Amino acid sequence: MNTADIIAINFKNNEWGSEKSTPPDNLIVPVYRIFPHNDDYKILFQPNTLNIYLIKNDAIDVLEKLSKNGNSDFDSNLISKFINCALVTTKNDEISNSKVDDKIINKHSKKLFLHVSHNCNLGCPYCYAEGGDYGRNKQMMSLKTAFDSINYTMQKDPDLKEISIDFFGGEPLLNFQVIEQFIESVELKYLSVKFKYGIVTNGTVMNDKIKNMMKKHQFHVMITIDGPKEYHDLQRVYANGKGSFDELVKNLPDFKESANYLCARVVYGRKNNNLYKIFKYIYEELDIHDISYRPVMTDLEEYKLDAESENFAIESLIKSFDYFLEKKLDGKEIESKFFSEQILKLMDRKIKKSFCDFGNFMSITPEGNMYPCTHFVYNDKFEIGNIYKISENTDVLKNCKKSSCAKYEPCKSCWILGLCSGGCKGSAAFYNKDNLFINDEYCKTRMAIVERAIKTIVQSHENNNLEKLKQSLIKDKDETTEMSPNRWR
């Protein structure tokens, strides 16, 4: 067996291991997964380290025998070669070889979702917020409650230097006047705090005052678009059943002009599962360069994905992934966070600690109730407290943070755990009777994209453009693309 039998793709052979004349007795073979490649090589992926290799069948046979029988039957030089490229290691080395994403939550920064409107001008049947009011009375957040939310936050942590605020609903722009007055008030009082603003909107509400406010305060804007008119108007409708696409498209130039950063979010389900067609349309026809996906959260069979529609969605998502990378390598301005993240984490071998910052941001309702995420609003099991009361239910936050670590089955043994960390807790709880300690519903989708990402990295290595691929993905990235956690895939 020679060095050409094992080719390290996303790291150097001697990056961790070292040649050892006498291999230790306590060797283990880290968990691995094999993918087909060509007649000579297969792809080997280590979930616990995110290492990627090209490997010949003879070397795979050795690994299998080492797994079963240990290293007593093999020449020490051969074992040393396997140690040198981290295909064989000790338990302690396997742990030290794993690189955890070094993104640290800034203790002087806070993320808030202010539910300024529990009302909506649309009546989308699949809406998990039940038409915008979350199953309660339609109401608006008052200026006092919005302002007191910041007062409460600053009282809890006077050392905060930065607060990111997403205005949420319902449709938040129905309460535009409060948003505008709120921004003026908090910036006047808290001069030493940097405020960042984002909004999730259906795109149907716009006027000159809104445009000027967004431009002045550098808003990050996420518009929900479910595809071309024939898709969008099947589900994003007014109360009378009329589609909202035409109004959105009419307002789109104003959003583009006023937003500091604009992205589109697609909620997909059984009626709009051609994600490749949707991706191309939004990028090429609507000229929006950042596109993310979110599978529908509903019990309505008419909209919820079944096995057949999910399989088609996955096939078209892979085509979207390939299209995205083609544009990136061509130097085009395009972004899709889920796609970029898979490639970059694999290339850097950074283990993802949690799906999002679940348990570290807060959703605040018009009454001042606090929840760990927009998906848990008015769920008593997840109420943290109220801004007008002193005490907080810290156990809720502890459980949220604990659930984000995904140290439970089936996630714990899953081969993409290091790139997923258990998925969306809101989706998991929605479909599993409020259980946070379980995977969400979209494992198959993520697995398909991770496999595609691994194969893309191998292909780029063979074409000698791995560094070009990486640079194309990190080019022009800044904090505006990372502001909202509400960009699932």
Side-chain angles (χ1 to χ4, degrees):
M1 185 174 297
N2 57 56
T3 54
D5 289 340
I6 304 169
I7 302 172
I9 300 299
N10 58 343
F11 72 103
K12 297 177 182 178
N13 271 0
N14 61 354
E15 186 170 339
W16 291 327
S18 57
E19 297 286 356
K20 299 181 181 180
S21 56
T22 306
D25 294 328
N26 60 336
L27 288 177
I28 62 168
V29 177
V31 175
Y32 61 87
R33 191 175 185 88
I34 300 292
F35 300 104
H37 184 57
N38 59 31
D39 292 340
D40 297 320
Y41 289 95
K42 290 185 172 64
I43 298 170
L44 184 146
F45 173 64
Q46 287 181 341
N48 294 339
T49 60
L50 305 188
N51 287 355
I52 303 172
Y53 306 81
L54 281 175
I55 185 167
K56 288 192 173 180
N57 284 327
D58 287 348
I60 294 174
D61 290 341
V62 172
L63 275 181
E64 290 177 350
K65 291 175 182 177
L66 281 169
S67 297
K68 294 176 182 177
N69 307 320
N71 60 319
S72 58
D73 298 334
F74 294 94
D75 177 75
S76 61
N77 289 329
L78 176 64
I79 300 301
S80 292
K81 285 184 172 65
F82 276 72
I83 292 173
N84 188 46
C85 59
L87 279 168
V88 176
T89 184
T90 66
K91 185 65 177 175
N92 289 336
D93 282 343
E94 183 187 27
I95 295 171
S96 64
N97 287 345
S98 300
K99 299 201 297 185
V100 176
D101 190 343
D102 57 4
K103 179 185 175 184
I104 299 173
I105 295 172
N106 187 348
K107 293 181 179 179
H108 299 298
S109 177
K110 188 72 175 179
K111 175 75 179 181
L112 298 177
F113 287 87
L114 290 188
H115 288 238
V116 292
S117 170
H118 276 188
N119 191 8
C120 189
N121 57 334
L122 298 187
C124 307
Y126 63 45
C127 180
Y128 75 85
E130 300 182 57
D133 60 16
Y134 297 82
R136 300 285 183 93
N137 295 326
K138 297 185 186 300
Q139 57 182 320
M140 300 290 187
M141 180 178 282
S142 68
L143 176 60
K144 181 180 186 305
T145 301
F147 190 68
D148 287 345
S149 297
I150 303 302
N151 289 338
Y152 176 88
T153 302
M154 291 302 298
Q155 287 168 9
K156 295 291 289 185
D157 190 351
D159 295 328
L160 282 175
K161 302 299 181 186
E162 180 178 292
I163 301 179
S164 297
I165 300 167
D166 263 14
F167 298 105
F168 207 78
E171 172 48 53
L173 287 175
L174 295 178
N175 202 8
F176 155 71
Q177 291 84 356
V178 163
I179 295 175
E180 185 178 43
Q181 293 169 32
F182 162 79
I183 292 174
E184 293 172 357
S185 299
V186 295
E187 293 195 346
L188 189 61
K189 179 174 180 179
Y190 296 105
L191 297 174
S192 62
V193 178
K194 181 180 180 180
F195 290 94
K196 298 179 181 178
Y197 305 106
I199 194 164
V200 181
T201 175
N202 60 36
T204 63
V205 181
M206 173 53 76
N207 57 45
D208 287 342
K209 288 184 178 181
I210 292 173
K211 186 166 69 172
N212 292 336
M213 178 196 70
M214 288 184 172
K215 185 182 294 187
K216 178 180 178 181
H217 297 290
Q218 299 183 315
F219 265 59
H220 179 296
V221 178
M222 174 181 281
I223 298 183
T224 44
I225 306 173
D226 286 358
K229 182 179 174 68
E230 65 267 25
Y231 287 165
H232 186 94
D233 282 353
L234 284 174
Q235 46 202 33
R236 300 197 64 79
V237 296
Y238 291 97
N240 63 5
K242 179 186 176 183
S244 61
F245 183 83
D246 291 341
E247 191 67 22
L248 184 157
V249 170
K250 185 189 78 172
N251 292 331
L252 196 53
D254 287 333
F255 280 108
K256 289 180 180 178
E257 181 184 342
S258 57
N260 184 48
Y261 194 86
L262 180 70
C263 60
R265 182 179 63 176
V266 178
V267 178
Y268 71 92
R270 193 177 303 192
K271 289 177 178 262
N272 64 328
N273 62 343
N274 191 335
L275 303 183
Y276 175 61
K277 179 179 179 179
I278 292 170
F279 196 97
K280 278 193 71 177
Y281 177 81
I282 293 175
Y283 181 72
E284 295 181 1
E285 301 299 325
L286 298 184
D287 197 29
I288 297 176
H289 300 156
D290 188 331
I291 305 160
S292 63
Y293 296 109
R294 181 70 172 90
V296 66
M297 280 174 51
T298 182
D299 288 324
L300 296 175
E301 295 299 326
E302 182 181 355
Y303 298 93
K304 186 179 179 181
L305 289 165
D306 59 6
E308 182 180 355
S309 57
E310 183 185 27
N311 287 338
F312 183 84
I314 290 171
E315 290 175 9
S316 65
L317 188 64
I318 290 171
K319 289 179 68 176
S320 301
F321 178 83
D322 293 343
Y323 174 84
F324 164 77
L325 288 180
E326 177 189 331
K327 296 297 180 185
K328 271 290 189 185
L329 287 169
D330 231 9
K332 305 297 184 183
E333 184 182 350
I334 189 170
E335 183 54 80
S336 188
K337 185 178 179 182
F338 176 57
F339 294 159
S340 295
E341 185 178 77
Q342 307 315 305
I343 295 279
L344 290 173
K345 287 198 180 299
L346 284 166
M347 292 182 76
D348 293 334
R349 305 186 322 280
K350 293 284 184 72
I351 300 291
K352 186 168 179 154
K353 293 187 293 185
S354 61
F355 183 75
C356 65
D357 290 337
F358 184 54
N360 292 296
F361 45 81
M362 197 84 72
S363 283
I364 303 177
T365 68
E367 307 93 336
N369 293 343
M370 297 180 293
Y371 301 88
C373 171
T374 60
H375 293 304
F376 296 94
V377 165
Y378 297 138
N379 186 329
D380 293 341
K381 294 179 183 178
F382 297 96
E383 184 175 319
I384 297 165
N386 185 284
I387 63 170
Y388 295 111
K389 298 177 183 178
I390 298 174
S391 62
E392 287 186 0
N393 188 343
T394 56
D395 288 341
V396 171
L397 289 175
K398 287 178 183 177
N399 269 336
C400 291
K401 293 175 183 178
K402 185 178 179 182
S403 72
S404 292
C405 298
K407 294 180 179 178
Y408 44 82
E409 298 296 353
C411 299
K412 189 176 179 180
S413 303
C414 179
W415 68 274
I416 65 163
L417 175 62
L419 295 160
C420 167
S421 199
C424 173
K425 296 293 98 182
S427 181
F430 182 86
Y431 288 114
N432 295 283
K433 298 180 179 178
D434 296 332
N435 184 5
L436 297 178
F437 296 91
I438 194 168
N439 57 306
D440 70 10
E441 299 292 295
Y442 298 97
C443 304
K444 188 176 177 182
T445 302
R446 291 196 195 93
M447 288 177 185
I449 292 301
V450 171
E451 180 176 344
R452 192 66 162 196
I454 290 170
K455 292 179 177 179
T456 297
I457 289 171
V458 170
Q459 185 179 9
S460 296
H461 178 274
E462 291 180 322
N463 294 337
N464 295 314
N465 68 346
L466 201 55
E467 186 59 28
K468 179 183 177 182
L469 173 63
K470 182 174 183 178
Q471 291 304 317
S472 74
L473 293 171
I474 63 177
K475 180 185 176 183
D476 299 328
K477 270 191 176 294
D478 58 36
E479 62 184 14
T480 59
T481 65
E482 301 296 328
M483 180 174 173
S484 176
N486 215 337
R487 304 171 66 224
W488 177 73
R489 314 175 204 280

